[in-house]
Amino acid sequence: MAADDVDVIVEQWRRERAGMRPEPMAVFGRIYRLARLVGDRQERVYAGWGIGRGEFDVLAALRRSGEPYTLAPKALAAALMLTSGGMTGRLDRLERAGLVRRAPDPADRRALRVSLTDEGRRVVEESAEAGLAVQRRILDALPPDDQERLGDLLRTLLAAAEADQPGRA
């Protein structure tokens, strides 16, 4: 297999720092570059529906929640790891676009519920399919068994990274 830009970087470190073991750069450098390239492509796809990745994430969280496609803003913020201020900005944009609506919670009028509109449901379903097509085109470079194995390996690495967070025992 031909060397890529990450191989060049790793080899430069080996040359400049003989005692350094830069092998992790080969893995995480590729993960980072792949995530950025695919994310940028998906961002361009979502723009066709007038949304960005952040707005897509909100719409997708609502759609995945099942009927009636309604969640509390706090539940949305927690699911997307956002501050309440970050969530408010996204909800404002989505509400202005007619993709979500905020209404008082019938069980607690002091609280709000966020719901997908019919247009929001259409946008998220169509844009999700288009975003998946981008991912499939790239992932199809691997045979199905390798795709599954890669998913398993990345799950293991993600669990290790999550367990290695500061403040965790």
Side-chain angles (χ1 to χ4, degrees):
M1 182 171 287
D4 63 12
D5 291 342
V6 175
D7 289 320
V8 171
I9 291 167
V10 170
E11 194 51 44
Q12 288 170 334
W13 276 112
R14 280 192 181 115
R15 182 188 71 231
E16 294 299 317
R17 295 278 316 271
M20 182 184 275
R21 296 177 48 222
E23 294 79 14
M25 288 180 191
V27 173
F28 292 102
R30 288 186 180 99
I31 290 171
Y32 172 77
R33 287 173 183 231
L34 181 62
R36 190 182 69 219
L37 288 168
V38 174
D40 289 349
R41 288 182 187 160
Q42 287 186 271
E43 189 80 35
R44 287 191 296 275
V45 166
Y46 298 151
W49 281 268
I51 58 174
R53 189 180 315 165
E55 289 82 18
F56 173 83
D57 290 345
V58 173
L59 296 174
L62 287 166
R63 179 61 182 91
R64 290 190 319 264
S65 73
E67 286 193 58
Y69 314 118
T70 301
L71 292 170
K74 283 184 181 183
L76 274 170
L80 300 177
M81 296 181 289
L82 290 172
T83 65
S84 60
M87 179 54 64
T88 298
R90 289 183 188 185
L91 292 176
D92 288 346
R93 288 188 297 277
L94 289 166
E95 193 169 39
R96 279 193 302 271
L99 303 177
V100 301
R101 83 177 134 269
R102 287 182 271 203
D105 185 330
D108 180 359
R109 294 197 51 86
R110 296 169 297 162
L112 289 176
R113 304 290 287 174
V114 179
S115 302
L116 275 179
T117 63
D118 290 342
E119 179 66 4
R121 182 175 174 189
R122 181 191 69 77
V123 165
V124 72
E125 288 176 358
E126 290 177 7
S127 61
E129 284 296 333
L132 283 169
V134 167
Q135 293 173 346
R136 277 190 202 100
R137 279 195 306 274
I138 293 162
L139 204 51
D140 280 347
L142 298 175
D145 287 348
D146 287 351
Q147 292 178 28
E148 187 174 339
R149 177 81 175 127
L150 178 60
D152 292 342
L153 292 169
L154 291 171
R155 181 182 304 106
T156 300
L157 286 177
L158 180 58
E162 289 173 344
D164 192 42
Q165 297 242 30
R168 290 186 93 159

